[in-house]
Amino acid sequence: MIPAVSLVVLAGAATAANASGESEDLAGLSCSPTQTAITDVPHRLFDAWNRGDAAGVAAQFTTDGHMIPSNGSYLTSRTAIASFYTSAFAGPLKDTRMIGRPLTVRCLSSTTAVIDGLGGLLKPGDTYTDPDQVPIGQRIIVSWTAVRVGNTYYMKEFQSTSIQG
């Protein structure tokens, strides 16, 4: 098993939507400036991951963003995230790729959203296109909080769990 599978696995052409059944005061709330800006974060992150670009992965977080990858590390800054992925991309995550899709996107305010997703770590030679196809142990479930800075969303909090069975 490869440790540190920890990417936001929210790719595809998914459009952010408010969760139904939330409290009435959140009903109809829209994240600004556009709903799709929220799902731009994983696209940028996947692009950096698939290039093995640790600084690019870290750049998708706020400067004080927190990350808890599947291996249980607790990373508390963009600098710590970049350092973690520099080592990971040189070692156990070398030449890996990520795929995924959002499960839910819930707007908490006009500048904050919580996203849950399903994804998978692709080892060299893997050709899976859907996270449901990715073998257990390579499949992850994630939750992250995105915040808007200007017209761009960044990850503020992120946690992933490897699905084991």
Side-chain angles (χ1 to χ4, degrees):
M1 180 176 154
I2 297 177
V5 179
S6 58
L7 233 257
V8 174
V9 285
L10 304 171
T15 301
N18 295 317
S20 61
E22 295 293 318
S23 64
E24 288 184 33
D25 55 325
L26 295 181
L29 187 63
S30 175
C31 300
S32 296
T34 67
Q35 295 280 25
T36 56
I38 298 164
T39 57
D40 285 345
V41 179
H43 294 289
R44 297 188 319 254
L45 199 144
F46 283 148
D47 183 53
W49 181 293
N50 294 338
R51 290 190 324 268
D53 179 1
V57 168
Q60 305 319 307
F61 286 81
T62 60
T63 56
D64 63 345
H66 288 183
M67 177 183 220
I68 302 172
S70 297
N71 74 348
S73 295
Y74 184 54
L75 311 171
T76 60
S77 69
R78 192 182 276 169
T79 301
I81 294 165
S83 177
F84 177 86
Y85 279 102
T86 296
S87 295
F89 288 149
L93 297 179
K94 184 173 177 56
D95 298 325
T96 60
R97 295 177 298 116
M98 282 300 247
I99 61 170
R101 71 169 181 275
L103 299 173
T104 62
V105 178
R106 299 176 311 271
C107 297
L108 302 180
S109 74
S110 63
T111 60
T112 306
V114 174
I115 300 97
D116 295 325
L118 179 67
L121 173 75
L122 303 184
K123 297 176 183 177
D126 284 347
T127 59
Y128 307 108
T129 58
D130 184 318
D132 287 321
Q133 300 169 334
V134 176
I136 297 297
Q138 288 176 243
R139 199 177 318 157
I140 60 174
I141 192 155
V142 299
S143 184
W144 55 278
T145 302
V147 296
R148 183 173 54 122
V149 178
N151 288 331
T152 305
Y153 280 85
Y154 295 91
M155 286 182 253
K156 178 73 171 176
E157 302 288 335
F158 175 91
Q159 182 170 0
S160 68
T161 301
S162 179
I163 299 173
Q164 296 299 312

